[in-house]
Amino acid sequence: MGMLDNLLGAFLKLTDPTPRYTGSRCLVEKYAVGGCDECLQVCPHEAIDLSHFRVEIDDTRCTGCGLCVQVCPGLALEYALGPTQEAITKGRGQLKCSRAEGGGQEVFCLGRLTPGLLAEAGSRLGPLVLARGDCEKCKIGGPAVPEQLEKVIAEARLYYPELEVTVTTEALPGPVFGRRELFRQLMGGTVRVAAEVIPEPPRQLGFDEDAEEGGLHGELRLRRAAARRSRGEVRWPAVAVSDACTLCPVCTNVCPTGAIRRERDGDEFVLELEVSACTGCGACIASCPPQAMELVEAGREEVLAEEPLELLRGEPEWS
């Protein structure tokens, strides 16, 4: 391997780091019943360790494929959403992985695409086209990428039922840059790229309508924006509570996104659900001591409601 290849590889590694980890959103750190090992199971390079009751990523093994981000039910693992959202927009709904033939806008690996990114882009741009390389031989994401991508597309349709996505191995149109030209572009844009890889929720490209949602995770804002634009049957994950609920705080303690809240109102406690913050991870259901919760689906009006959904109100026997 030549010096240019070594420099390019080092630069790509620098600008495609391991995903950011937020322990407060990890079901392992939350001590949810049953825990979670989705990221461990999907990682194609054995780069993830859960033995210390948190996600630890070996950056010498991690290739930055993003598969762990796709499957994380609590959004504890994440990459910057803004740059990918921008690439899809610049490509007018067409995007390729870095190993695909042809030109056009690209993302490092299609394993980095999330349900929110696809749903929101489809709601603005119409049908999407995703081009991939030979995943069977790819050392970034590997053969698991196509199947995981189909799962992400299926979930995205829950938030935007009208979503149309074509996955192809054919080359996309657009300018093609050689490795030398690519390296010059990358080096010339070091400052811009370094700013892009900071994984903060995006505040751009159609988010004026979501300006009031500053506390909602970026991925959830994308899903909510898509649901707002949909005229189909939105099927957002939510939970329902039976009378067996004792209004204990367990569900609120294990919820990774703060979707479930328990408020005191005089002598009563009120259990509330912010539907748009629910990922359907099921941690509350598995952890509920009286098994009083179940996973259901919410519609567009409940997702866009300004007030949280009241699940249960009452005066607990232990109060």
Side-chain angles (χ1 to χ4, degrees):
M1 183 178 289
M3 182 181 70
L4 180 60
D5 285 324
N6 285 329
L7 288 173
L8 180 59
F11 190 85
L12 288 175
K13 181 63 179 176
L14 174 65
T15 56
D16 288 281
T18 57
R20 182 172 70 176
Y21 171 63
T22 303
S24 61
R25 292 198 295 266
C26 177
L27 298 188
V28 174
E29 288 201 31
K30 286 283 188 179
Y31 292 104
V33 171
C36 179
D37 65 352
E38 294 284 343
C39 57
L40 177 69
Q41 294 299 325
V42 80
C43 179
H45 305 294
E46 299 182 345
I48 293 178
D49 180 17
L50 302 179
S51 62
H52 296 100
F53 301 101
R54 67 187 312 273
V55 176
E56 296 178 343
I57 302 177
D58 185 342
D59 60 7
T60 64
R61 290 176 174 268
C62 178
T63 61
C65 66
L67 289 175
C68 59
V69 174
Q70 284 186 340
V71 301
C72 181
L75 308 178
L77 295 168
E78 59 187 321
Y79 279 110
L81 297 171
T84 303
Q85 189 185 25
E86 182 179 7
I88 297 175
T89 299
K90 285 183 176 179
R92 297 181 181 181
Q94 297 192 357
L95 188 71
K96 72 183 186 75
C97 77
S98 59
R99 296 298 184 267
E101 298 294 331
Q105 297 294 315
E106 71 176 44
V107 65
F108 190 54
C109 176
L110 296 184
R112 291 196 176 194
L113 295 177
T114 66
L117 282 167
L118 293 180
E120 194 279 332
S123 71
R124 284 187 297 111
L125 304 170
L128 307 178
V129 178
L130 307 176
R132 65 175 180 85
D134 186 352
C135 296
E136 291 290 333
K137 299 179 180 179
C138 181
K139 295 182 179 180
I140 298 175
V145 170
E147 181 180 355
Q148 287 300 133
L149 182 60
E150 289 301 323
K151 292 179 181 179
V152 170
I153 294 171
E155 183 179 351
R157 290 196 176 106
L158 298 179
Y159 317 122
Y160 189 70
E162 301 95 325
L163 179 66
E164 296 180 31
V165 181
T166 299
V167 181
T168 181
T169 55
E170 296 182 2
L172 294 181
V176 180
F177 298 99
R179 295 177 69 84
R180 188 177 299 274
E181 287 78 7
L182 175 60
F183 181 71
R184 287 173 180 168
Q185 279 197 335
L186 290 172
M187 292 304 294
T190 301
V191 175
R192 177 184 62 80
V193 174
E196 284 181 348
V197 300
I198 300 174
E200 294 298 328
R203 273 284 177 202
Q204 59 189 43
L205 300 176
F207 273 91
D208 290 341
E209 60 185 303
D210 288 334
E212 79 281 0
E213 299 169 10
L216 202 59
H217 187 280
E219 167 67 13
L220 297 172
R221 291 205 308 271
L222 289 168
R223 298 178 188 183
R224 194 177 195 272
R228 175 182 283 112
R229 297 171 186 142
S230 175
R231 292 298 177 265
E233 184 182 354
V234 173
R235 299 163 54 201
W236 196 287
V239 293
V241 179
S242 74
D243 292 338
C245 174
T246 63
L247 289 168
C248 76
V250 171
C251 58
T252 63
N253 291 340
V254 300
C255 180
T257 60
I260 301 178
R261 296 189 292 266
R262 190 186 65 146
E263 306 289 344
R264 185 154 197 162
D265 185 7
D267 293 331
E268 294 184 320
F269 280 92
V270 183
L271 198 63
E272 299 176 335
L273 174 69
E274 184 180 353
V275 175
S276 60
C278 182
T279 65
C281 70
C284 58
I285 298 171
S287 303
C288 178
Q291 292 295 284
M293 309 188 79
E294 64 175 335
L295 188 65
V296 295
E297 292 179 343
R300 183 173 178 272
E301 291 185 2
E302 293 169 301
V303 173
L304 302 180
E306 295 183 2
E307 298 296 328
L309 179 66
E310 185 174 300
L311 298 176
L312 190 69
R313 174 188 292 268
E315 185 176 349
E317 295 180 1
W318 47 262
S319 63

